[in-house]
Amino acid sequence: MDSVYIRGGIALQGQVGIQGSKNAVLPVLAATLLADGTSVIENCPRLADVYHMQTLLKSLGCSVTREKDRLKVNTEGMNKLTALSADMPKEAVESMRSSIVLLGALLNRMGEVELAYPGGCVIGKRPIDIHIEALKQLQVHFEERSYGLHAYTKGMKGAEIRLAFPSVGATENLLLAAVGADGATVIRGAAKEPEIESLCGFLSACGADITGGGSSTILIQGKRKLSGAEFAIPGDRIVAGTYLCACLAAGGEVLLTKAPAAQMGAVKKVTKAMGALWQETDKGLYIQRGARLKTPGKLVTAPYPGFPTDMQSLFLPVLALAEGSSQVEERIFEDRFHIVPDLKLMGAKIEQTDKRKVRIEGTEQLSGARVEAKELRGGAALVIAGAAAKGETVVDGCGYIERGYENICRDLRELGVRIYGV
Ligand code: UD1
């Protein structure tokens, strides 16, 4: 899908099921490498990054089969030689940032790995220094090579590790490595994101001894025997947040089935403060927006349970249409306001006052325009703006959006948006 066409300005109405979480499924799939036998992972979204991970697991000798949203991974055919990058499909490693979690998993399983750098992206540099410093404390050695990194260990030993920042990726890598280390590992200052809880949940189901997943201190007793397990990936909190924002921007009422409302506390607080109705029902998360919303004032992104960085972009069109002035501060990534010029084209009164801050004066209406997605969540935010704007909006560059959404056009059509992709 290159471009999305939207005829906006119509209040939403309908219900849609929320796909499984992209950020939860990728580390869980990497973790299947650690378990003997077969793991069965339910509710895997159909996304390019998931297909890339399937390719990587296969290249390592695993058998991977998909039946609808269920993936079965059998690790019996794994072979140490294939952990060397020559045999790992380079495009799959380099095209997805989550390939970095293979570092911890393969060090654990093979003791050695050669991996291309996952690279930065348009929202910021995304370095991996915290991952490397933490793994070094488990007795992993690193050498820089022309293709990226060579990491090896003569046997990992548990350690007490304090992370300089609660990095989600670094916490995942450490967990994947530490379950294979000799003795106990304590991770202090760990990320508390729900995706960490999912990874700990899967590893525990396989037989790992982990306590404290989801809190800032995680304790791992290493070297337990891990056997394949069944695990269901929760709904994607950011996809649910996207359709929530579409409703907040365009008005109307939606029911988001399989939305992980319990993981969306910070977003719930802002939604209610702005004057929309948020109801957690047996059938799903029900949202209703009638009158024009009020600004929540200031939004500041923070590690979980704070306001998620991914939701920041998605709320920009909502704030652009709310009554009053808003300020948004991005504290996680250094360059996450690429959509400001496109929102201005659509009539938003938004100014970037600093690399990490924007100020918005709410306006009563946005108007359709031709705009371009430059990254995943910013692209989805332009689709939301289009759903709310009067007239026709065309969003080009939609390949980025497909990285996180199975089918954003189909889902929004279920909610009454006049939208199609070509
Ligand atoms: C981040 C989000 C996560 C979200 C994911 C996908 C946070 C804290 N993390 O996770 O919720 O699901 O993006 O969009 O909101 N950093 C370093 N060195 C490192 C690792 C990270 O400096 O070794 C910095 C990053 O540049 C960034 C911040 O720490 O500024 C957050 O990084 P991290 O949590 O690791 O990012 P992701 O795992 O991608």
Side-chain angles (χ1 to χ4, degrees), residues 75-76 79 138 183 193 219 228 262:
T75 55
E76 266 158 37
N79 158 357
L138 296 180
E193 265 71 356
L219 175 64

Side-chain angles (χ1 to χ4, degrees), residues 44-46 50-51 54 64-71:
C44 296
R46 292 155 206 238
V50 176
Y51 297 132
Q54 287 177 226
V64 184
T65 50
R66 188 185 257 275
E67 289 160 26
K68 296 192 174 157
D69 286 346
R70 174 188 300 135
L71 275 178

Side-chain angles (χ1 to χ4, degrees), residues 9 22 91 165 168 187 198 233 252 254 257 272 313 336 351 368:
K22 167 172 92 72
E91 325 86 71
F165 178 86
V168 177
I187 310 176
S198 288
I233 300 296
V254 296
T257 62
K272 289 174 99 171
S313 312
R336 208 165 192 179
E351 290 301 331

Side-chain angles (χ1 to χ4, degrees), residues 23 126-131 165 167-169 193 309-310 332-333:
N23 291 332
R126 310 191 94 169
I128 54 168
D129 54 316
I130 300 173
H131 304 232
F165 178 86
S167 154
V168 177
E193 265 71 356
T309 172
D310 289 86
I332 306 295
F333 291 108

